């Protein structure tokens, strides 16, 4: 009897698809005093080596315990944590409203690195949202008005019509002065744990994790 899983694996040859990581290592002495400083250090090294280095996976969980994930762009970083913007009525927005615990992942494959963040998301102030919205490209601003993110549409024509409508609606509004849609907002993810992962030969990867303890950070190494 045919085994569909085995046949599919043979067709794609996924079982032998692998890469030996040997570009660098990560030792305890390499760590910065806190994870934000360490993230800045690594980001400076990947900024010119990775397409959209600020692209990150945001994982959330529904009230029923069903996880979901998607790519968004990191748009702010300070000592408090990581900032991104989105439609707050989207799936991730509604899930964060019910359960603010989330995870972030930065997949920096060309340097054989990844950064994983466990944290709690809190909504940004409307002032902070407006400040960022004002510097977005006009097309992205109009798209935020036109798209009811994550909700069903009849087809691309419906989206195009919605975009054309808001383009006409705001035709006389100068660049930088479009108002912020009511359901568009942003989040600050305050990290509780941040893992820095560096690929190593033989799958003996370096995994060093910062964990928040009160106002301080402790670090430890995890087995790969």
């Amino acid at each position: 009897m045919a085994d569909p899983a085995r046949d599919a694996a043979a067709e794609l040859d996924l079982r032998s698809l692998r890469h030996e990581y040997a570009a660098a290592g990560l030792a305890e002495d390499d760590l910065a005093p806190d994870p934000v400083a360490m993230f800045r250090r690594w980001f400076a090294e990947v900024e010119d080596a990775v397409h959209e280095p600020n692209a990150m996976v945001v994982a959330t969980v529904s009230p029923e315990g069903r996880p979901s994930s998607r790519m968004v762009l990191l748009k702010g970083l300070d000592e408090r944590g990581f900032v991104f913007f989105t439609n707050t009525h989207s799936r991730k927005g509604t899930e964060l409203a019910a359960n603010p615990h989330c995870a972030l992942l930065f997949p920096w494959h060309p340097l054989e690195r990844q950064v994983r963040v466990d944290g709690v998301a809190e909504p940004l102030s409307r002032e902070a949202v407006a400040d960022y919205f004002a510097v977005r490209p006009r097309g992205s601003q109009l798209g935020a008005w036109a798209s009811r993110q994550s909700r069903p549409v009849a087809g691309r024509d419906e989206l195009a019509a919605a975009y054309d409508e808001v383009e006409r609606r705001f035709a006389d509004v100068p660049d930088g002065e479009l108002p912020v849609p009511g359901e568009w907002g942003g989040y600050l993810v305050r990290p509780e744990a941040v893992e820095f992962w560096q690929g190593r030969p033989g799958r003996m990867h370096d995994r060093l994790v910062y964990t928040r303890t009160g106002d301080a950070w402790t670090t430890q190494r995890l087995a790969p």
Side-chain angles (χ1 to χ4, degrees):
M1 184 176 181
D3 183 338
R6 178 174 296 178
D7 291 345
E11 180 182 351
L12 296 174
D13 196 23
L14 296 178
R15 290 174 292 183
S16 62
L17 185 60
R18 59 173 50 86
H19 175 74
E20 183 74 353
Y21 299 135
L26 180 63
E28 283 77 358
D29 290 345
D30 298 326
L31 295 178
D34 65 80
V36 172
M38 186 65 189
F39 185 90
R40 291 184 187 277
R41 182 185 300 172
W42 265 24
F43 192 87
E45 295 175 6
V46 305
E47 191 167 5
D48 295 328
V50 177
H51 175 66
E52 289 198 317
N54 59 328
M56 62 183 184
V57 179
V58 176
T60 56
V61 180
S62 73
E64 296 75 31
R66 297 180 178 179
S68 63
S69 60
R70 73 289 292 162
M71 297 292 289
V72 305
L73 296 178
L74 177 70
K75 287 298 180 180
L77 175 71
D78 60 29
E79 68 282 354
R80 300 172 303 161
F82 303 80
V83 171
F84 69 94
F85 297 86
T86 188
N87 187 308
T88 59
H89 290 190
S90 64
R91 179 173 178 177
K92 58 184 169 298
T94 56
E95 290 182 351
L96 288 173
N99 179 3
H101 292 271
C102 62
L104 312 177
L105 174 66
F106 295 85
W108 293 331
H109 303 299
L111 273 68
E112 302 173 356
R113 290 176 175 177
Q114 58 181 313
V115 178
R116 187 178 61 80
V117 179
D118 296 332
V120 179
E122 61 183 54
L124 294 176
S125 68
R126 296 310 294 174
E127 180 182 7
V129 171
D131 286 346
Y132 172 70
F133 192 80
V135 301
R136 296 188 90 203
R138 187 178 182 88
S140 297
Q141 293 175 329
L142 295 173
W145 275 98
S147 175
R148 301 176 69 245
Q149 194 176 110
S150 298
R151 281 150 284 186
V153 293
R156 179 171 287 277
D157 288 346
E158 180 180 330
L159 290 172
Y163 188 93
D164 291 343
E165 191 279 326
V166 297
E167 194 169 33
R168 290 191 298 270
R169 176 180 172 187
F170 295 115
D172 296 330
V173 178
D175 289 346
E177 296 184 17
L178 266 71
V180 181
E183 60 186 45
W184 199 83
Y187 297 91
L188 167 68
V189 178
R190 294 185 181 272
E192 297 181 336
V194 184
E195 176 182 336
F196 292 84
W197 184 102
Q198 176 71 63
R200 296 287 290 151
R203 294 303 190 260
M204 297 300 289
H205 312 307
D206 289 323
R207 300 179 60 191
L208 297 180
V209 183
Y210 293 82
T211 303
R212 186 186 294 277
T213 305
D215 294 330
W217 292 95
T218 60
T219 59
Q220 63 180 338
R221 177 177 289 269
L222 301 181

